[in-house]
Amino acid sequence: MKKNIINYYSLRYIWDLIVILTLKEIKVKYKRNLLGFFWSILNPLLLTLVFIIAFKGVLKIHINNYLLFLITGLFPWQWVTNVILSAPNILLSNASIIKKIKFPYEILPLALTLSEGIHFLLSLLVLIIIGLFYNLKPSINWLWGIPLLLLAQGILIYGLALIISSINLFFRDLERIVQVFMTMLFYLTPILYDIKHIPQKYIIFFALNPFFGIIYEWRTLLLKGYLDIKIYILYLLYSLLIFIVGLKIFRKLSKKFAEAL
Amino acid sequence: MVKDYIITFENVTKWYPLYNVFSQGFKSFILNFKNSLQNLKKKKVVLNNISFSLEKGECLGILGRNGAGKSTLLGLIAGVLHPNKGKVKVKGKVLPLLELGAGFHPELTGRENIFLNATLLGMTKNKIKERIDDIIKFSELEDYIDQPLRTYSSGMITRLAFSISIFIDSDIILLDEILAVGDFRFQEKSFEKILELKEQGKTIIFVSHNPADIKKLCSKALWLENGKIKMFGNVEQVLESYVEML
């Protein structure tokens, strides 16, 4: 019974389905109000402001150019939270079609990941424009480094979205667990602070977080203009592992989707 | 000669666990772990040892009360449900006609929704482009097609959905009581269109409570009762017994 979706559907069709569902997500996100894009950029910018007040103003953290430091971590993280927090509902909100039509359901979380990824790309432009006012030096390495990081992060986010969206159909309180977990993960990922602030003996535990390396690499690439290839490959493999596990769980559960909805 | 069947059900049994979804979530699952495990084993049999087959181009009417297993049967043919026992063989592409507004998004225009819905139903973008004018023409929504769907009446949405479906390539069409499309005139037009598709050699599965509708369209009928086949065969014979029982 096990059929590869590529054999079952034509590649052309898979591509069209990915494009149309991704475009739908983007259109819906920005159609609701004209300011849609600016609102979603405003969110990380306001967070940045609050963290600057709290950590630079009050706690006097020793990081130069803290604004630039923060946005190079917060903007990539925004892609993560936007997808992960919507993932529990992506299948539920498509219940009426999943119950009737057989199509590669894997594409629903993929479209969510991609549409938020495109949004992140746009916000990356905003980040760079802001950065230019604060001494950010564009680097030639960005040309290949940014696509590589987008790939690794996209695979990781998609893998998690596959797991969360499918399990949430059977245990409907996963959504709440995910919310709490994401807040915890935010503080355990070096976004507000630098890797060198983490005590050496604990760093291995921090590094188990799959986003640890990704956020570290974004910051190194954007602020220092290079990509640490060894760390990159390590976390790319980690992301691939999560993606494969996610796909297996999703495929296994997908046979029961129509019953559970 | 061995007949070429397009749909074959071989001793198909389908049950649902009573507690498929732990809507109270992990928390209650773990707190009542013992109970939860026992609940997992409880099941409700919806289809019990069903066997029948259908040839290409035949039209099958499915009769039965609510809860007789009609929707589950359609779900198995569509491939969204999988049998617990037995085998379901379906050759060709199945097209389910969707309920009101399924697969549509209210914020997108009628035209955008045609692309979205037709893609979900298995068409490539190029094919949709070839047929979109016919779809719009059949739906009679030319003046509204670039308006967001939320401005449509429910009748208009059903018309659009129906018009998309009939222009999708398919071998088997699943109709679930949804010939009530828009006003009376459009209903007539839709029924004509379905008869036309039937003449083109498509296989049609039609679920209805109304024996008269089934008689108009179908050559065979299957009567389900409590998950079992009460009767299967020629439409006149099955309908005669069915009406007698009512």
Side-chain angles (χ1 to χ4, degrees), chain A residues 13 16 20 27 31 97 99-101 105 170 173 177 255 258-260, chain B residues 14 16 20-22 25-27 80 82 96 99 103 112 115 119 124-125:
Chain A
Y13 173 67
D16 285 350
I20 195 121
K27 279 183 194 158
K31 249 184 193 176
I97 49 174
K99 277 160 84 168
K100 297 272 172 172
I101 317 174
Y105 306 127
F170 301 88
D173 63 349
I177 298 172
K255 292 205 166 137
E259 292 174 30
Chain B
K14 177 71 194 165
Y16 297 120
N20 203 342
V21 177
F22 299 91
F26 281 114
K27 197 185 87 187
V80 295
H82 303 269
E99 65 217 44
E112 288 169 327
F115 276 99
T119 312
T124 57
K125 195 179 165 194

PDB file of all heavy atoms in Angstrom, chain A residues 13 16 20 27 31 97 99-101 105 170 173 177 255 258-260, chain B residues 14 16 20-22 25-27 80 82 96 99 103 112 115 119 124-125:
ATOM      1  N   TYR A  13       1.806  18.617 -10.674  1.00  0.00           N
ATOM      2  CA  TYR A  13       0.645  18.854  -9.812  1.00  0.00           C
ATOM      3  C   TYR A  13       1.072  19.231  -8.394  1.00  0.00           C
ATOM      4  O   TYR A  13       0.525  20.160  -7.799  1.00  0.00           O
ATOM      5  CB  TYR A  13      -0.262  17.619  -9.787  1.00  0.00           C
ATOM      6  CG  TYR A  13      -1.374  17.759  -8.787  1.00  0.00           C
ATOM      7  CD1 TYR A  13      -2.374  18.711  -8.986  1.00  0.00           C
ATOM      8  CD2 TYR A  13      -1.408  17.007  -7.619  1.00  0.00           C
ATOM      9  CE1 TYR A  13      -3.382  18.894  -8.066  1.00  0.00           C
ATOM     10  CE2 TYR A  13      -2.420  17.179  -6.692  1.00  0.00           C
ATOM     11  CZ  TYR A  13      -3.400  18.121  -6.923  1.00  0.00           C
ATOM     12  OH  TYR A  13      -4.386  18.306  -6.002  1.00  0.00           O
ATOM     13  N   ASP A  16       2.133  22.805  -8.420  1.00  0.00           N
ATOM     14  CA  ASP A  16       0.991  23.725  -8.494  1.00  0.00           C
ATOM     15  C   ASP A  16       0.268  23.831  -7.156  1.00  0.00           C
ATOM     16  O   ASP A  16      -0.153  24.913  -6.743  1.00  0.00           O
ATOM     17  CB  ASP A  16      -0.003  23.262  -9.568  1.00  0.00           C
ATOM     18  CG  ASP A  16       0.506  23.558 -10.976  1.00  0.00           C
ATOM     19  OD1 ASP A  16       1.516  24.280 -11.091  1.00  0.00           O
ATOM     20  OD2 ASP A  16      -0.098  23.059 -11.946  1.00  0.00           O
ATOM     21  N   ILE A  20      -0.182  27.218  -5.015  1.00  0.00           N
ATOM     22  CA  ILE A  20      -1.496  27.825  -4.781  1.00  0.00           C
ATOM     23  C   ILE A  20      -1.809  27.924  -3.290  1.00  0.00           C
ATOM     24  O   ILE A  20      -2.375  28.915  -2.832  1.00  0.00           O
ATOM     25  CB  ILE A  20      -2.609  27.069  -5.554  1.00  0.00           C
ATOM     26  CG1 ILE A  20      -3.875  27.935  -5.601  1.00  0.00           C
ATOM     27  CG2 ILE A  20      -2.978  25.744  -4.929  1.00  0.00           C
ATOM     28  CD1 ILE A  20      -4.341  28.256  -6.958  1.00  0.00           C
ATOM     29  N   LYS A  27      -1.886  35.701   0.649  1.00  0.00           N
ATOM     30  CA  LYS A  27      -2.984  36.612   0.312  1.00  0.00           C
ATOM     31  C   LYS A  27      -3.885  36.844   1.517  1.00  0.00           C
ATOM     32  O   LYS A  27      -4.257  37.969   1.816  1.00  0.00           O
ATOM     33  CB  LYS A  27      -3.818  36.023  -0.819  1.00  0.00           C
ATOM     34  CG  LYS A  27      -3.219  36.246  -2.188  1.00  0.00           C
ATOM     35  CD  LYS A  27      -4.160  35.691  -3.247  1.00  0.00           C
ATOM     36  CE  LYS A  27      -3.470  35.578  -4.585  1.00  0.00           C
ATOM     37  NZ  LYS A  27      -4.152  34.596  -5.454  1.00  0.00           N
ATOM     38  N   LYS A  31      -4.437  40.353   3.062  1.00  0.00           N
ATOM     39  CA  LYS A  31      -5.662  40.974   2.559  1.00  0.00           C
ATOM     40  C   LYS A  31      -6.497  41.555   3.679  1.00  0.00           C
ATOM     41  O   LYS A  31      -7.241  42.501   3.486  1.00  0.00           O
ATOM     42  CB  LYS A  31      -6.488  39.949   1.777  1.00  0.00           C
ATOM     43  CG  LYS A  31      -6.509  40.286   0.294  1.00  0.00           C
ATOM     44  CD  LYS A  31      -7.382  39.361  -0.491  1.00  0.00           C
ATOM     45  CE  LYS A  31      -7.115  39.547  -1.964  1.00  0.00           C
ATOM     46  NZ  LYS A  31      -7.853  38.637  -2.812  1.00  0.00           N
ATOM     47  N   ILE A  97     -12.175  19.833   3.797  1.00  0.00           N
ATOM     48  CA  ILE A  97     -11.630  19.205   2.596  1.00  0.00           C
ATOM     49  C   ILE A  97     -10.896  17.901   2.907  1.00  0.00           C
ATOM     50  O   ILE A  97     -10.926  16.963   2.125  1.00  0.00           O
ATOM     51  CB  ILE A  97     -10.733  20.156   1.781  1.00  0.00           C
ATOM     52  CG1 ILE A  97      -9.702  20.842   2.636  1.00  0.00           C
ATOM     53  CG2 ILE A  97     -11.563  21.168   1.047  1.00  0.00           C
ATOM     54  CD1 ILE A  97      -8.724  21.675   1.835  1.00  0.00           C
ATOM     55  N   LYS A  99     -11.692  15.724   5.017  1.00  0.00           N
ATOM     56  CA  LYS A  99     -12.684  14.662   5.193  1.00  0.00           C
ATOM     57  C   LYS A  99     -13.223  14.149   3.867  1.00  0.00           C
ATOM     58  O   LYS A  99     -13.823  13.088   3.812  1.00  0.00           O
ATOM     59  CB  LYS A  99     -13.846  15.176   6.045  1.00  0.00           C
ATOM     60  CG  LYS A  99     -13.538  15.090   7.531  1.00  0.00           C
ATOM     61  CD  LYS A  99     -14.410  15.990   8.322  1.00  0.00           C
ATOM     62  CE  LYS A  99     -15.751  15.374   8.641  1.00  0.00           C
ATOM     63  NZ  LYS A  99     -16.450  16.197   9.669  1.00  0.00           N
ATOM     64  N   LYS A 100     -13.070  14.928   2.809  1.00  0.00           N
ATOM     65  CA  LYS A 100     -13.678  14.532   1.532  1.00  0.00           C
ATOM     66  C   LYS A 100     -12.659  14.189   0.448  1.00  0.00           C
ATOM     67  O   LYS A 100     -12.890  13.306  -0.356  1.00  0.00           O
ATOM     68  CB  LYS A 100     -14.558  15.675   1.007  1.00  0.00           C
ATOM     69  CG  LYS A 100     -15.720  16.007   1.885  1.00  0.00           C
ATOM     70  CD  LYS A 100     -16.919  15.167   1.537  1.00  0.00           C
ATOM     71  CE  LYS A 100     -18.008  15.391   2.559  1.00  0.00           C
ATOM     72  NZ  LYS A 100     -19.257  14.770   2.223  1.00  0.00           N
ATOM     73  N   ILE A 101     -11.578  14.944   0.382  1.00  0.00           N
ATOM     74  CA  ILE A 101     -10.665  14.787  -0.753  1.00  0.00           C
ATOM     75  C   ILE A 101      -9.359  14.170  -0.294  1.00  0.00           C
ATOM     76  O   ILE A 101      -8.796  14.560   0.721  1.00  0.00           O
ATOM     77  CB  ILE A 101     -10.318  16.142  -1.407  1.00  0.00           C
ATOM     78  CG1 ILE A 101     -11.545  17.020  -1.548  1.00  0.00           C
ATOM     79  CG2 ILE A 101      -9.666  15.927  -2.759  1.00  0.00           C
ATOM     80  CD1 ILE A 101     -11.228  18.405  -2.039  1.00  0.00           C
ATOM     81  N   TYR A 105      -1.673  15.711   2.000  1.00  0.00           N
ATOM     82  CA  TYR A 105      -1.912  16.634   3.115  1.00  0.00           C
ATOM     83  C   TYR A 105      -0.630  17.267   3.636  1.00  0.00           C
ATOM     84  O   TYR A 105      -0.672  18.307   4.280  1.00  0.00           O
ATOM     85  CB  TYR A 105      -2.600  15.890   4.274  1.00  0.00           C
ATOM     86  CG  TYR A 105      -3.863  15.159   3.896  1.00  0.00           C
ATOM     87  CD1 TYR A 105      -4.028  13.813   4.197  1.00  0.00           C
ATOM     88  CD2 TYR A 105      -4.891  15.825   3.233  1.00  0.00           C
ATOM     89  CE1 TYR A 105      -5.185  13.136   3.848  1.00  0.00           C
ATOM     90  CE2 TYR A 105      -6.047  15.159   2.885  1.00  0.00           C
ATOM     91  CZ  TYR A 105      -6.198  13.810   3.189  1.00  0.00           C
ATOM     92  OH  TYR A 105      -7.335  13.154   2.839  1.00  0.00           O
ATOM     93  N   PHE A 170      -5.264  14.528  17.481  1.00  0.00           N
ATOM     94  CA  PHE A 170      -5.639  13.450  18.385  1.00  0.00           C
ATOM     95  C   PHE A 170      -5.594  13.876  19.851  1.00  0.00           C
ATOM     96  O   PHE A 170      -6.320  13.347  20.671  1.00  0.00           O
ATOM     97  CB  PHE A 170      -4.737  12.230  18.134  1.00  0.00           C
ATOM     98  CG  PHE A 170      -4.846  11.751  16.709  1.00  0.00           C
ATOM     99  CD1 PHE A 170      -4.032  12.270  15.718  1.00  0.00           C
ATOM    100  CD2 PHE A 170      -5.823  10.833  16.359  1.00  0.00           C
ATOM    101  CE1 PHE A 170      -4.172  11.853  14.400  1.00  0.00           C
ATOM    102  CE2 PHE A 170      -5.963  10.416  15.048  1.00  0.00           C
ATOM    103  CZ  PHE A 170      -5.140  10.927  14.063  1.00  0.00           C
ATOM    104  N   ASP A 173      -5.086  19.309  23.277  1.00  0.00           N
ATOM    105  CA  ASP A 173      -4.474  20.322  24.147  1.00  0.00           C
ATOM    106  C   ASP A 173      -3.002  20.547  23.806  1.00  0.00           C
ATOM    107  O   ASP A 173      -2.322  21.322  24.453  1.00  0.00           O
ATOM    108  CB  ASP A 173      -4.634  19.976  25.643  1.00  0.00           C
ATOM    109  CG  ASP A 173      -3.918  18.680  26.011  1.00  0.00           C
ATOM    110  OD1 ASP A 173      -3.483  17.960  25.090  1.00  0.00           O
ATOM    111  OD2 ASP A 173      -3.802  18.382  27.210  1.00  0.00           O
ATOM    112  N   ILE A 177       0.226  23.278  25.127  1.00  0.00           N
ATOM    113  CA  ILE A 177       1.559  22.831  25.513  1.00  0.00           C
ATOM    114  C   ILE A 177       2.591  23.525  24.620  1.00  0.00           C
ATOM    115  O   ILE A 177       3.627  23.991  25.095  1.00  0.00           O
ATOM    116  CB  ILE A 177       1.662  21.292  25.379  1.00  0.00           C
ATOM    117  CG1 ILE A 177       0.651  20.626  26.325  1.00  0.00           C
ATOM    118  CG2 ILE A 177       3.069  20.812  25.669  1.00  0.00           C
ATOM    119  CD1 ILE A 177       0.516  19.136  26.152  1.00  0.00           C
ATOM    120  N   LYS A 255      -3.563   8.568   7.795  1.00  0.00           N
ATOM    121  CA  LYS A 255      -4.622   7.619   7.439  1.00  0.00           C
ATOM    122  C   LYS A 255      -5.842   7.777   8.334  1.00  0.00           C
ATOM    123  O   LYS A 255      -6.929   7.338   7.992  1.00  0.00           O
ATOM    124  CB  LYS A 255      -4.097   6.191   7.558  1.00  0.00           C
ATOM    125  CG  LYS A 255      -3.066   5.919   6.504  1.00  0.00           C
ATOM    126  CD  LYS A 255      -2.948   4.460   6.172  1.00  0.00           C
ATOM    127  CE  LYS A 255      -2.173   4.319   4.891  1.00  0.00           C
ATOM    128  NZ  LYS A 255      -1.208   3.254   4.934  1.00  0.00           N
ATOM    129  N   ALA A 258      -9.163  11.746   8.509  1.00  0.00           N
ATOM    130  CA  ALA A 258     -10.579  11.946   8.195  1.00  0.00           C
ATOM    131  C   ALA A 258     -11.472  11.448   9.331  1.00  0.00           C
ATOM    132  O   ALA A 258     -12.560  11.963   9.539  1.00  0.00           O
ATOM    133  CB  ALA A 258     -10.930  11.239   6.891  1.00  0.00           C
ATOM    134  N   GLU A 259     -11.001  10.450  10.081  1.00  0.00           N
ATOM    135  CA  GLU A 259     -11.793   9.950  11.200  1.00  0.00           C
ATOM    136  C   GLU A 259     -11.720  10.878  12.390  1.00  0.00           C
ATOM    137  O   GLU A 259     -12.684  11.038  13.123  1.00  0.00           O
ATOM    138  CB  GLU A 259     -11.266   8.577  11.651  1.00  0.00           C
ATOM    139  CG  GLU A 259     -11.489   7.486  10.649  1.00  0.00           C
ATOM    140  CD  GLU A 259     -10.830   6.192  11.086  1.00  0.00           C
ATOM    141  OE1 GLU A 259     -10.706   5.954  12.307  1.00  0.00           O
ATOM    142  OE2 GLU A 259     -10.429   5.418  10.207  1.00  0.00           O
ATOM    143  N   ALA A 260     -10.553  11.457  12.593  1.00  0.00           N
ATOM    144  CA  ALA A 260     -10.338  12.240  13.809  1.00  0.00           C
ATOM    145  C   ALA A 260     -10.928  13.637  13.702  1.00  0.00           C
ATOM    146  O   ALA A 260     -11.169  14.287  14.710  1.00  0.00           O
ATOM    147  CB  ALA A 260      -8.848  12.321  14.117  1.00  0.00           C
TER     148      ALA A 260
ATOM    149  N   LYS B  14     -15.470  -1.645   8.554  1.00  0.00           N
ATOM    150  CA  LYS B  14     -14.880  -0.391   9.024  1.00  0.00           C
ATOM    151  C   LYS B  14     -15.460  -0.082  10.385  1.00  0.00           C
ATOM    152  O   LYS B  14     -16.675  -0.101  10.576  1.00  0.00           O
ATOM    153  CB  LYS B  14     -15.236   0.735   8.042  1.00  0.00           C
ATOM    154  CG  LYS B  14     -14.733   2.098   8.448  1.00  0.00           C
ATOM    155  CD  LYS B  14     -13.251   2.198   8.304  1.00  0.00           C
ATOM    156  CE  LYS B  14     -12.704   3.420   9.013  1.00  0.00           C
ATOM    157  NZ  LYS B  14     -11.254   3.343   9.186  1.00  0.00           N
ATOM    158  N   TYR B  16     -14.944   2.588  13.952  1.00  0.00           N
ATOM    159  CA  TYR B  16     -14.276   3.747  14.537  1.00  0.00           C
ATOM    160  C   TYR B  16     -14.056   3.468  16.002  1.00  0.00           C
ATOM    161  O   TYR B  16     -14.959   2.956  16.668  1.00  0.00           O
ATOM    162  CB  TYR B  16     -15.144   5.005  14.411  1.00  0.00           C
ATOM    163  CG  TYR B  16     -15.420   5.419  12.994  1.00  0.00           C
ATOM    164  CD1 TYR B  16     -16.716   5.483  12.512  1.00  0.00           C
ATOM    165  CD2 TYR B  16     -14.378   5.770  12.157  1.00  0.00           C
ATOM    166  CE1 TYR B  16     -16.968   5.871  11.208  1.00  0.00           C
ATOM    167  CE2 TYR B  16     -14.631   6.155  10.854  1.00  0.00           C
ATOM    168  CZ  TYR B  16     -15.930   6.208  10.375  1.00  0.00           C
ATOM    169  OH  TYR B  16     -16.172   6.589   9.095  1.00  0.00           O
ATOM    170  N   ASN B  20     -11.519   8.238  19.487  1.00  0.00           N
ATOM    171  CA  ASN B  20     -10.434   8.453  18.540  1.00  0.00           C
ATOM    172  C   ASN B  20      -9.677   9.712  18.911  1.00  0.00           C
ATOM    173  O   ASN B  20      -8.467   9.803  18.834  1.00  0.00           O
ATOM    174  CB  ASN B  20     -11.021   8.588  17.145  1.00  0.00           C
ATOM    175  CG  ASN B  20     -10.017   8.266  16.081  1.00  0.00           C
ATOM    176  OD1 ASN B  20      -8.829   8.259  16.345  1.00  0.00           O
ATOM    177  ND2 ASN B  20     -10.482   7.990  14.893  1.00  0.00           N
ATOM    178  N   VAL B  21     -10.437  10.698  19.353  1.00  0.00           N
ATOM    179  CA  VAL B  21      -9.837  11.982  19.668  1.00  0.00           C
ATOM    180  C   VAL B  21      -9.943  12.210  21.166  1.00  0.00           C
ATOM    181  O   VAL B  21     -11.010  12.109  21.731  1.00  0.00           O
ATOM    182  CB  VAL B  21     -10.597  13.107  18.943  1.00  0.00           C
ATOM    183  CG1 VAL B  21     -10.018  14.445  19.335  1.00  0.00           C
ATOM    184  CG2 VAL B  21     -10.534  12.894  17.458  1.00  0.00           C
ATOM    185  N   PHE B  22      -8.827  12.497  21.784  1.00  0.00           N
ATOM    186  CA  PHE B  22      -8.864  12.819  23.193  1.00  0.00           C
ATOM    187  C   PHE B  22      -9.020  14.323  23.291  1.00  0.00           C
ATOM    188  O   PHE B  22      -8.066  15.048  23.492  1.00  0.00           O
ATOM    189  CB  PHE B  22      -7.615  12.311  23.891  1.00  0.00           C
ATOM    190  CG  PHE B  22      -7.510  10.829  23.780  1.00  0.00           C
ATOM    191  CD1 PHE B  22      -6.834  10.243  22.731  1.00  0.00           C
ATOM    192  CD2 PHE B  22      -8.180  10.021  24.681  1.00  0.00           C
ATOM    193  CE1 PHE B  22      -6.791   8.868  22.591  1.00  0.00           C
ATOM    194  CE2 PHE B  22      -8.144   8.647  24.543  1.00  0.00           C
ATOM    195  CZ  PHE B  22      -7.446   8.067  23.497  1.00  0.00           C
ATOM    196  N   GLY B  25      -7.450  16.121  25.691  1.00  0.00           N
ATOM    197  CA  GLY B  25      -6.015  16.263  25.539  1.00  0.00           C
ATOM    198  C   GLY B  25      -5.155  15.309  26.347  1.00  0.00           C
ATOM    199  O   GLY B  25      -5.635  14.362  26.953  1.00  0.00           O
ATOM    200  N   PHE B  26      -3.874  15.592  26.309  1.00  0.00           N
ATOM    201  CA  PHE B  26      -2.886  14.774  27.006  1.00  0.00           C
ATOM    202  C   PHE B  26      -3.182  14.684  28.489  1.00  0.00           C
ATOM    203  O   PHE B  26      -3.006  13.662  29.110  1.00  0.00           O
ATOM    204  CB  PHE B  26      -1.489  15.400  26.864  1.00  0.00           C
ATOM    205  CG  PHE B  26      -0.842  15.134  25.548  1.00  0.00           C
ATOM    206  CD1 PHE B  26      -0.603  16.168  24.657  1.00  0.00           C
ATOM    207  CD2 PHE B  26      -0.461  13.857  25.200  1.00  0.00           C
ATOM    208  CE1 PHE B  26       0.008  15.921  23.445  1.00  0.00           C
ATOM    209  CE2 PHE B  26       0.149  13.605  23.993  1.00  0.00           C
ATOM    210  CZ  PHE B  26       0.384  14.645  23.116  1.00  0.00           C
ATOM    211  N   LYS B  27      -3.608  15.821  29.041  1.00  0.00           N
ATOM    212  CA  LYS B  27      -3.773  15.926  30.482  1.00  0.00           C
ATOM    213  C   LYS B  27      -4.708  14.835  30.987  1.00  0.00           C
ATOM    214  O   LYS B  27      -4.336  14.028  31.834  1.00  0.00           O
ATOM    215  CB  LYS B  27      -4.301  17.314  30.856  1.00  0.00           C
ATOM    216  CG  LYS B  27      -4.118  17.651  32.318  1.00  0.00           C
ATOM    217  CD  LYS B  27      -4.763  18.990  32.648  1.00  0.00           C
ATOM    218  CE  LYS B  27      -6.220  18.808  32.984  1.00  0.00           C
ATOM    219  NZ  LYS B  27      -6.932  20.072  33.158  1.00  0.00           N
ATOM    220  N   VAL B  80     -10.195   8.627   1.596  1.00  0.00           N
ATOM    221  CA  VAL B  80      -9.825   9.356   2.807  1.00  0.00           C
ATOM    222  C   VAL B  80      -9.964   8.466   4.042  1.00  0.00           C
ATOM    223  O   VAL B  80      -9.358   8.723   5.068  1.00  0.00           O
ATOM    224  CB  VAL B  80     -10.634  10.667   2.993  1.00  0.00           C
ATOM    225  CG1 VAL B  80     -10.311  11.643   1.885  1.00  0.00           C
ATOM    226  CG2 VAL B  80     -12.118  10.417   3.057  1.00  0.00           C
ATOM    227  N   HIS B  82      -9.799   4.332   5.452  1.00  0.00           N
ATOM    228  CA  HIS B  82      -9.183   3.054   5.087  1.00  0.00           C
ATOM    229  C   HIS B  82      -9.879   1.932   5.856  1.00  0.00           C
ATOM    230  O   HIS B  82     -10.179   2.093   7.026  1.00  0.00           O
ATOM    231  CB  HIS B  82      -7.688   3.086   5.405  1.00  0.00           C
ATOM    232  CG  HIS B  82      -6.983   4.202   4.726  1.00  0.00           C
ATOM    233  ND1 HIS B  82      -6.401   4.086   3.497  1.00  0.00           N
ATOM    234  CD2 HIS B  82      -6.823   5.498   5.080  1.00  0.00           C
ATOM    235  CE1 HIS B  82      -5.896   5.244   3.124  1.00  0.00           C
ATOM    236  NE2 HIS B  82      -6.141   6.119   4.075  1.00  0.00           N
ATOM    237  N   PRO B  96     -15.037  13.865  -5.359  1.00  0.00           N
ATOM    238  CA  PRO B  96     -16.122  14.069  -4.419  1.00  0.00           C
ATOM    239  C   PRO B  96     -16.736  15.452  -4.639  1.00  0.00           C
ATOM    240  O   PRO B  96     -16.005  16.432  -4.777  1.00  0.00           O
ATOM    241  CB  PRO B  96     -15.433  13.996  -3.059  1.00  0.00           C
ATOM    242  CG  PRO B  96     -13.981  14.195  -3.320  1.00  0.00           C
ATOM    243  CD  PRO B  96     -13.734  14.203  -4.794  1.00  0.00           C
ATOM    244  N   GLU B  99     -19.365  19.732   0.088  1.00  0.00           N
ATOM    245  CA  GLU B  99     -20.464  20.451   0.711  1.00  0.00           C
ATOM    246  C   GLU B  99     -20.215  21.960   0.614  1.00  0.00           C
ATOM    247  O   GLU B  99     -19.132  22.396   0.245  1.00  0.00           O
ATOM    248  CB  GLU B  99     -20.629  20.030   2.167  1.00  0.00           C
ATOM    249  CG  GLU B  99     -19.451  20.397   3.030  1.00  0.00           C
ATOM    250  CD  GLU B  99     -19.155  19.335   4.084  1.00  0.00           C
ATOM    251  OE1 GLU B  99     -19.170  18.140   3.740  1.00  0.00           O
ATOM    252  OE2 GLU B  99     -18.902  19.719   5.219  1.00  0.00           O
ATOM    253  N   GLY B 103     -13.321  24.056   1.179  1.00  0.00           N
ATOM    254  CA  GLY B 103     -12.167  24.318   0.325  1.00  0.00           C
ATOM    255  C   GLY B 103     -12.152  25.707  -0.272  1.00  0.00           C
ATOM    256  O   GLY B 103     -11.303  26.025  -1.088  1.00  0.00           O
ATOM    257  N   GLU B 112     -10.086  33.428  -7.730  1.00  0.00           N
ATOM    258  CA  GLU B 112      -8.994  32.827  -6.948  1.00  0.00           C
ATOM    259  C   GLU B 112      -9.447  31.516  -6.309  1.00  0.00           C
ATOM    260  O   GLU B 112      -8.697  30.548  -6.228  1.00  0.00           O
ATOM    261  CB  GLU B 112      -8.528  33.804  -5.859  1.00  0.00           C
ATOM    262  CG  GLU B 112      -7.756  34.988  -6.403  1.00  0.00           C
ATOM    263  CD  GLU B 112      -7.527  36.080  -5.364  1.00  0.00           C
ATOM    264  OE1 GLU B 112      -8.382  36.282  -4.480  1.00  0.00           O
ATOM    265  OE2 GLU B 112      -6.488  36.753  -5.439  1.00  0.00           O
ATOM    266  N   PHE B 115      -9.294  28.575  -8.705  1.00  0.00           N
ATOM    267  CA  PHE B 115      -7.944  27.992  -8.793  1.00  0.00           C
ATOM    268  C   PHE B 115      -7.634  27.147  -7.563  1.00  0.00           C
ATOM    269  O   PHE B 115      -7.109  26.038  -7.672  1.00  0.00           O
ATOM    270  CB  PHE B 115      -6.896  29.097  -8.960  1.00  0.00           C
ATOM    271  CG  PHE B 115      -6.730  29.524 -10.393  1.00  0.00           C
ATOM    272  CD1 PHE B 115      -7.363  30.657 -10.876  1.00  0.00           C
ATOM    273  CD2 PHE B 115      -5.969  28.772 -11.273  1.00  0.00           C
ATOM    274  CE1 PHE B 115      -7.242  31.034 -12.205  1.00  0.00           C
ATOM    275  CE2 PHE B 115      -5.834  29.134 -12.598  1.00  0.00           C
ATOM    276  CZ  PHE B 115      -6.467  30.270 -13.072  1.00  0.00           C
ATOM    277  N   THR B 119      -7.472  23.026  -7.838  1.00  0.00           N
ATOM    278  CA  THR B 119      -6.175  22.410  -7.571  1.00  0.00           C
ATOM    279  C   THR B 119      -6.314  21.341  -6.503  1.00  0.00           C
ATOM    280  O   THR B 119      -5.780  20.241  -6.634  1.00  0.00           O
ATOM    281  CB  THR B 119      -5.140  23.459  -7.129  1.00  0.00           C
ATOM    282  OG1 THR B 119      -5.182  24.559  -8.023  1.00  0.00           O
ATOM    283  CG2 THR B 119      -3.747  22.872  -7.118  1.00  0.00           C
ATOM    284  N   THR B 124      -4.162  20.581 -12.599  1.00  0.00           N
ATOM    285  CA  THR B 124      -2.987  21.448 -12.668  1.00  0.00           C
ATOM    286  C   THR B 124      -3.420  22.843 -13.113  1.00  0.00           C
ATOM    287  O   THR B 124      -4.502  23.033 -13.659  1.00  0.00           O
ATOM    288  CB  THR B 124      -1.960  20.904 -13.674  1.00  0.00           C
ATOM    289  OG1 THR B 124      -2.604  20.791 -14.943  1.00  0.00           O
ATOM    290  CG2 THR B 124      -1.422  19.556 -13.256  1.00  0.00           C
ATOM    291  N   LYS B 125      -2.540  23.803 -12.871  1.00  0.00           N
ATOM    292  CA  LYS B 125      -2.865  25.202 -13.155  1.00  0.00           C
ATOM    293  C   LYS B 125      -3.189  25.411 -14.642  1.00  0.00           C
ATOM    294  O   LYS B 125      -4.138  26.118 -14.989  1.00  0.00           O
ATOM    295  CB  LYS B 125      -1.662  26.058 -12.757  1.00  0.00           C
ATOM    296  CG  LYS B 125      -1.960  27.519 -12.664  1.00  0.00           C
ATOM    297  CD  LYS B 125      -0.703  28.266 -12.239  1.00  0.00           C
ATOM    298  CE  LYS B 125      -0.847  29.741 -12.472  1.00  0.00           C
ATOM    299  NZ  LYS B 125       0.435  30.431 -12.376  1.00  0.00           N
TER     300      LYS B 125
END
